[in-house]
């Protein structure tokens, strides 16, 4: 038995060992991966990357684009614009929508950055609304049309007015034809305005309610003056007395 055991050990020791081939790093073919598949060259990879990218919508920073709400988290909306990655928009940017935003809604957003520092797609609905609002405000300034806005808050020297979702400035001197000292009475009121000044560089607009009142007064003055005839007797309220006469609210002067 001992001899047989020794014989078995002898045979195992004498079993041929598989030959191991050592390859120097300089001779290693790095283009072949562990599956023995040749990798793409740099030119081939660039070509296929281009083909891959072209399967998605091409976008540019600052572009306005329609987006679909794919899902909602506690803080953000996951938005699909047909690009190779989805974007996130804070739910705070949808507070103006009655009942809030829901999955499936299609809204206009702005591409702020195709890739931010972390490589994420940066979208904004707020900036899209402001951009569209500015376009409308510029057009209204050009045509001289009247626009409706909501006075949202008081600030130094005047009021902030929301027009189409964009903040504009209403100077205290442009609130009324009479001096106004209590600005708080106008907060949360909806009023009509004229856009009297715009700054294209910083996208800032100044509005006036006083300009509308003055337009109405001028229209009434022209109408009344057109009806006046020599010898006509009219009633009026004396608004002011000076050395040279009295001013009436019938838009004419009576002199001593």
């Amino acid at each position: 038995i001992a001899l047989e055991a020794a014989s078995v050990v002898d045979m195992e020791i004498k079993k041929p060992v598989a030959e191991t081939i050592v390859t120097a790093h300089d001779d290693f073919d790095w283009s072949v991966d562990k599956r023995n598949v040749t990798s793409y060259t740099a030119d081939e990879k660039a070509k296929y990357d281009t083909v891959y990218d072209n399967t998605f919508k091409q976008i540019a920073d600052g572009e306005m684009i329609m987006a679909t709400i794919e899902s909602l988290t506690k803080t953000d909306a996951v938005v699909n614009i047909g690009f190779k990655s989805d974007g996130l928009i804070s739910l705070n940017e949808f507070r103006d929508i009655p009942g809030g935003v829901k999955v499936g809604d299609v809204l206009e957003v702005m591409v702020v950055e195709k890739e931010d520092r972390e490589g994420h797609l940066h979208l904004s609905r707020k900036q899209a609304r402001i951009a569209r609002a500015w376009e409308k405000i510029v057009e209204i300034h050009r045509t001289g049309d009247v626009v409706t806005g909501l006075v949202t808050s008081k600030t130094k020297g005047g009021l902030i007015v929301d027009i189409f979702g964009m903040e504009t400035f209403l100077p205290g001197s442009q609130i009324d034809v009479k001096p106004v000292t209590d600005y708080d009475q106008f907060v949360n009121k909806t009023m009509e305005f004229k856009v009297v000044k715009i700054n294209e560089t910083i996208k800032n607009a100044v509005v006036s309610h006083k300009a509308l009142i003055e337009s109405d007064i001028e229209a009434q003055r022209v109408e009344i003056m057109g009806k006046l005839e020599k010898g006509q007797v009219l009633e009026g309220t004396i608004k002011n007395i000076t050395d040279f006469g009295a001013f009436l609210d019938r838009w004419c002067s009576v002199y001593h």
Side-chain angles (χ1 to χ4, degrees):
I1 295 171
L3 286 172
E4 287 178 2
S7 197
V8 170
V9 170
D10 246 5
M11 290 174 65
E12 288 183 353
I13 291 173
K14 293 177 182 179
K15 185 182 292 185
V17 179
E19 185 179 355
T20 302
I21 300 173
V22 179
T23 305
H25 281 206
D26 289 345
D27 299 329
F28 188 79
D29 188 354
W30 294 97
S31 67
V32 178
D33 66 15
K34 62 183 180 182
R35 295 170 301 170
N36 201 33
V37 177
T38 303
S39 301
Y40 295 122
T41 65
D43 289 343
E44 288 174 330
K45 187 176 184 303
K47 180 182 73 174
Y48 290 125
D49 282 346
T50 301
V51 172
Y52 173 74
D53 288 341
N54 287 338
T55 63
F56 299 102
K57 185 178 294 183
Q58 300 303 302
I59 61 175
D61 292 354
E63 182 178 349
M64 310 284 276
I65 195 167
M66 300 307 294
T68 303
I69 306 299
E70 294 293 327
S71 62
L72 300 171
T73 70
K74 290 183 179 180
T75 58
D76 301 290
V78 180
V79 180
N80 176 22
I81 62 170
F83 195 52
K84 58 186 175 183
S85 62
D86 290 336
L88 291 179
I89 299 179
S90 171
L91 293 179
N92 289 331
E93 295 196 23
F94 303 97
R95 287 182 298 177
D96 61 297
I97 299 177
V101 71
K102 60 183 183 298
V103 173
D105 284 351
V106 178
L107 303 162
E108 188 173 44
V109 300
M110 175 182 282
V111 180
V112 181
E113 288 180 292
K114 287 192 292 186
E115 289 188 11
D116 61 16
R117 292 180 181 178
E118 299 177 350
H120 299 151
L121 174 63
H122 184 188
L123 304 173
S124 173
R125 176 173 177 268
K126 179 180 179 181
Q127 292 192 40
R129 292 182 66 221
I130 290 175
R132 291 301 187 203
W134 179 250
E135 290 175 0
K136 293 178 183 176
I137 288 172
V138 170
E139 178 62 16
I140 286 171
H141 178 256
R142 184 186 70 81
T143 60
D145 292 340
V146 176
V147 64
T148 301
L150 174 66
V151 179
T152 58
S153 61
K154 179 179 69 173
T155 188
K156 183 179 180 180
L159 299 165
I160 299 299
V161 181
D162 184 303
I163 297 179
F164 304 129
M166 182 176 182
E167 290 187 347
T168 62
F169 180 56
L170 172 63
S173 61
Q174 295 299 312
I175 298 175
D176 203 337
V177 290
K178 297 174 291 185
V180 175
T181 55
D182 179 17
Y183 293 168
D184 291 321
Q185 62 179 309
F186 297 98
V187 176
N188 295 323
K189 284 189 175 181
T190 299
M191 302 168 62
E192 290 186 330
F193 303 94
K194 291 196 74 171
V195 179
V196 294
K197 184 179 179 181
I198 60 172
N199 187 320
E200 290 276 7
T201 304
I202 61 175
K203 288 184 170 49
N204 175 266
V206 176
V207 297
S208 172
H209 181 67
K210 176 183 176 180
L212 294 179
I213 299 174
E214 289 177 335
S215 295
D216 289 341
I217 290 174
E218 178 60 21
Q220 292 175 20
R221 189 191 72 81
V222 171
E223 181 183 358
I224 291 174
M225 293 297 289
K227 294 179 180 178
L228 291 178
E229 297 178 3
K230 186 176 180 179
Q232 187 176 8
V233 177
L234 297 172
E235 291 184 359
T237 302
I238 296 176
K239 305 297 291 184
N240 189 27
I241 298 176
T242 68
D243 293 339
F244 54 84
F247 291 89
L248 310 178
D249 68 356
R250 281 285 185 173
W251 314 110
C252 60
S253 297
V254 178
Y255 296 93
H256 295 301

